[in-house]
């Protein structure tokens, strides 16, 4: 499905060329109503996309593209439970997990909602028992700490949401997340915990992921070293998974298993049993509110016409940058410490989903697809990498996110945070001309050559695009809506490109090679079976392992 040669694509390219010389300064000067016309407002949120170099025609052309690519039909097929994850033959129905209506959701002719409700009920009863102290450990002590062992989709979503809902963590256990197979991660968490008061949630859709299984086995050994009796495992290990056989094999009984289904993709699974740690930390009621919020966004995405459909608009802007302008990256800049892990979560959501180079039918996509997604919370990023955003040679569209209020008011600090957020998008959009830079330098008393030498360094070209998402104080419902908004944005982008946004074959090869390579790290014999670079790295690893060349491990340089 070539995009490039099509009529609509040629018109988009011509339109891009036409806009090349247009500055946001002019667009705003010419249209006093621009901010209102290029924004989306509903009770909980104000989304401003007026600081993109776009016109009504841009959006009209992009919507025409969306229609040509059958966006609405693909969306409807997702909600109808069709197997749109074609390479795995699976439905894509995370929207069923947060379907708060009485509408059935059907996969293979069967309404999955009774199963979804039963799984939610399991989460509710268990999380309430742990939080109230009704569920105790093997010495009858209350659970004080929960360690979630999972990676990728079984880590990033629940970890990000749990952190974002920190203001609601009253009375709940402390929840820790261990993902990395690097033994440092688990060891450092366990150092602070006691087996008798710790609960492990082993989160793995497949229950075969090497990193998670290695950490889970290590956690079990740590627990048994103290508890001694394997029957105590039942009080301290639960599984969040789709694979009952593997869960049993690990030694967790089916009663201790929180289920979900193959139609829930890993990176879309925080709404399923994978969200149990969220309910443990913040309470089941908050978890339900998260689902409520997501459902509201689902309904908006499902029913709003393209022109008023927020995920569609943001997704089409994403396509505009990644494909029509050919930009490489997209920054996510939450001015909200509670969303510190949002960039990492969105990175997976976007890059696992749309980091694809062939369409569903295996043909190369002839335009740029999923951009690199990266970011850090503001204001930290301002002191780190914003220099490039303002004056570098690359154009990086930015998403600013900021709440209207903080859960933790402290003097005027939140207003200072908001001021910084709004000032950054203003500076990016409008910049500072040479005349303005010159006037400022003159006001500082500079003249002549010294002044002129500085002017080019003080110029900000501006015209750098951003979206600002301004919401009420961050709570579970708002968060649910925001996350569903991004999920559907990613869906729209993938649907325009015609890729399957729901598989991730690209992570397979490295996994296979790691399994093959692992035994070669043992023993002293030099390895020659790979390319010269990999051979050398393996052999140098053997030399450096256990060595003390740097002096770091001994009394190096007498500094002990
Ligand atoms: C996400 C990916 C991936 C997955 C992890 C963990 O969409 O599929 O990040 O979530 O590899 O997989 P398990 O949950 O099966 O351990």
């Amino acid at each position: 499905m070539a995009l490039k040669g099509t009529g609509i694509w040629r018109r988009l390219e011509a339109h891009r060329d036409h806009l090349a010389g247009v500055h946001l300064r002019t667009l705003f000067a010419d249209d006093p109503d621009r901010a209102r016309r290029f924004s989306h407002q509903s009770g909980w949120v104000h989304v401003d996309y007026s600081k993109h170099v776009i016109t009504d025609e841009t959006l009209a052309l992009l919507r025409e593209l969306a229609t040509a690519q059958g966006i609405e039909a693909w969306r409807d097929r997702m909600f109808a439970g069709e197997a749109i994850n074609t390479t795995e033959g699976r439905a894509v129905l995370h929207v069923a997990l947060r379907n708060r209506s009485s509408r059935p959701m059907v996969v293979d002719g069967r309404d999955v909602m009774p199963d979804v409700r039963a799984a939610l009920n399991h989460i509710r009863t268990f999380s309430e028992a742990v939080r109230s102290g009704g569920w105790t450990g093997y010495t009858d002590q209350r659970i004080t700490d929960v360690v979630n062992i999972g990676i990728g989709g079984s880590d990033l979503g629940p970890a990000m949401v749990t952190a974002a809902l920190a203001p609601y963590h009253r009375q709940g256990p402390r929840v820790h997340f261990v993902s990395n197979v690097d033994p440092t991660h688990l060891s450092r968490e366990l150092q602070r915990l006691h087996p008798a008061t710790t609960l492990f949630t082993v989160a793995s859709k497949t229950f075969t992921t090497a990193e998670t299984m290695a950490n889970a086995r290590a956690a079990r050994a740590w627990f048994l070293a103290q508890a001694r009796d394997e029957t105590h495992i039942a009080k301290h290990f639960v599984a969040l998974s789709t694979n009952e056989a593997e869960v049993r094999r690990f030694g967790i009984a089916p009663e201790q298993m929180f289920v979900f289904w193959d139609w829930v993709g890993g990176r879309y699974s925080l709404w399923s049993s994978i969200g149990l740690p969220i309910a443990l930390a913040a309470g089941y009621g908050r978890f339900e509110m998260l689902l409520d919020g997501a459902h509201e966004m689902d309904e908006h995405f499902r029913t709003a016409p393209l022109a008023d459909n927020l995920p569609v608009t943001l997704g089409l802007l994403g396509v505009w940058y990644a494909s029509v302008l050919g930009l490489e990256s997209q920054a996510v800049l939450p001015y909200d410490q509670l969303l510190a892990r949002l960039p990492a979560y969105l990175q997976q959501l976007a890059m696992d989903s749309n980091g694809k180079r062939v369409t569903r039918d295996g043909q190369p996509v002839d335009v740029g697809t999923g951009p690199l997604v990266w970011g850090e919370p503001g204001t930290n990023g301002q002191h780190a990498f914003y220099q490039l955003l303002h004056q570098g040679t690359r154009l990086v569209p930015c998403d600013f996110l900021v709440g209207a209020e903080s859960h933790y008011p402290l003097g005027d600090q939140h207003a200072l945070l908001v001021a910084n957020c709004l000032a950054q998008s203003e500076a990016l959009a409008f910049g500072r001309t040479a005349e303005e830079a010159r006037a400022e330098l003159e006001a500082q008393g500079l003249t002549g050559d010294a002044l002129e030498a500085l002017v080019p360094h003080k110029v900000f070209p501006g015209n750098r695009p951003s979206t600002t998402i301004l919401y009420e104080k961050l709570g579970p419902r708002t968060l649910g809506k925001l996350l569903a908004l991004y999920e559907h944005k990613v869906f729209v982008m993938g649907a325009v490109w015609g890729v399957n946004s729901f598989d991730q074959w690209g992570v397979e090869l490295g996994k296979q090679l790691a399994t093959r390579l692992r035994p070669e790290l043992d023993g002293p014999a030099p390895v020659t079976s790979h390319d010269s670079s990999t051979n050398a790295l393996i052999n140098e690893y053997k030399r450096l392992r256990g060595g003390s060349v740097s002096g770091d491990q001994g009394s190096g340089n007498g500094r002990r």
Side-chain angles (χ1 to χ4, degrees), residues 16 25 80 105 125 142 189 197 224 233 242 254 314 317 335 361 382 440 472 480 487 524 526 530-531 549 555:
R16 172 200 63 199
R25 285 181 177 234
M105 291 285 209
T125 48
R142 218 185 155 102
E189 288 300 335
T197 55
L224 285 176
I233 285 183
T242 61
L314 298 187
L317 284 172
Y335 278 66
D361 52 8
Q382 289 175 211
E440 202 168 290
E472 286 183 328
E487 282 182 350
H530 298 262
D531 59 277
V549 188
S555 54

Side-chain angles (χ1 to χ4, degrees), residues 300-321:
H300 167 75
F301 179 51
R302 196 174 64 82
T303 58
L306 290 192
D308 305 321
N309 198 308
L310 187 56
V312 170
T313 301
L314 298 187
L316 291 175
L317 284 172
V319 170
W320 171 251
Y321 288 118

Side-chain angles (χ1 to χ4, degrees), residues 195-444:
T197 55
T198 300
L199 172 78
F200 292 94
T201 55
V202 185
S204 177
K205 179 176 168 181
T206 55
F207 233 69
T208 55
T209 303
E211 294 93 328
T212 299
M213 290 303 111
N215 274 325
R217 281 191 297 271
R220 188 175 56 184
W222 173 84
F223 172 75
L224 285 176
Q226 172 92 25
R228 306 256 164 230
D229 184 345
E230 292 217 354
T231 60
H232 294 328
I233 285 183
K235 291 288 217 172
H236 292 267
F237 283 79
V238 299
L240 323 179
S241 187
T242 61
N243 190 343
E244 188 180 320
E246 286 298 327
V247 168
R248 269 180 202 273
R249 214 160 47 175
F250 180 83
I252 297 179
E255 308 81 73
Q256 260 72 256
M257 176 172 166
F258 293 78
V259 298
F260 60 112
W261 307 274
D262 72 354
W263 42 263
V264 182
R267 53 191 171 276
Y268 299 89
S269 65
L270 73 90
W271 322 98
S272 72
S273 291
I274 291 291
L276 176 66
I278 302 168
L280 286 166
Y284 179 75
R286 307 290 180 196
F287 183 61
E288 270 203 334
M289 288 165 75
L290 183 82
L291 303 182
D292 290 342
H295 177 63
E296 278 178 48
M297 183 53 70
D298 293 343
E299 288 300 275
H300 167 75
F301 179 51
R302 196 174 64 82
T303 58
L306 290 192
D308 305 321
N309 198 308
L310 187 56
V312 170
T313 301
L314 298 187
L316 291 175
L317 284 172
V319 170
W320 171 251
Y321 288 118
S323 309
V324 186
L325 272 74
L327 303 185
E328 297 287 330
S329 91
Q330 152 85 62
V332 181
L333 309 164
Y335 278 66
D336 192 330
Q337 188 61 29
L338 292 171
L339 294 179
R341 293 291 286 156
L342 184 73
Y345 163 82
L346 291 181
Q347 194 168 61
Q348 171 177 43
L349 179 66
M351 292 170 72
D352 247 7
S353 297
N354 288 335
K356 307 284 162 68
R357 50 183 281 287
V358 295
T359 58
R360 281 183 217 91
D361 52 8
Q363 300 304 310
V365 188
D366 60 356
V367 297
T369 59
L372 301 156
V373 173
W374 59 281
E376 279 288 324
T379 59
N380 298 7
Q382 289 175 211
H383 298 266
F385 54 77
Y386 279 37
Q387 168 62 36
L388 183 149
L389 300 182
H390 286 289
Q391 289 186 311
T393 54
R394 294 171 201 285
L395 195 58
V396 183
C398 298
D399 276 7
F400 291 95
L401 295 104
V402 66
E405 259 185 284
S406 170
H407 285 273
Y408 305 96
L410 207 58
D412 73 339
Q413 281 187 222
H414 189 257
L416 196 56
L417 177 79
V418 176
N420 270 280
C421 179
L422 304 185
Q424 288 300 325
S425 64
E426 190 178 21
L428 284 167
F430 303 108
R432 182 164 60 193
T433 63
E435 294 68 47
E436 288 164 346
R438 203 168 277 123
E440 202 168 290
L441 289 169
E442 277 166 3
Q444 288 164 15

Side-chain angles (χ1 to χ4, degrees), residues 35 43 59 79 99 124 152 185 260 289 321 368 377 439 461 502-503 530:
L59 291 177
F79 278 90
N99 172 24
R124 182 177 62 72
H185 202 175
F260 60 112
M289 288 165 75
Y321 288 118
F502 302 100
D503 59 9
H530 298 262

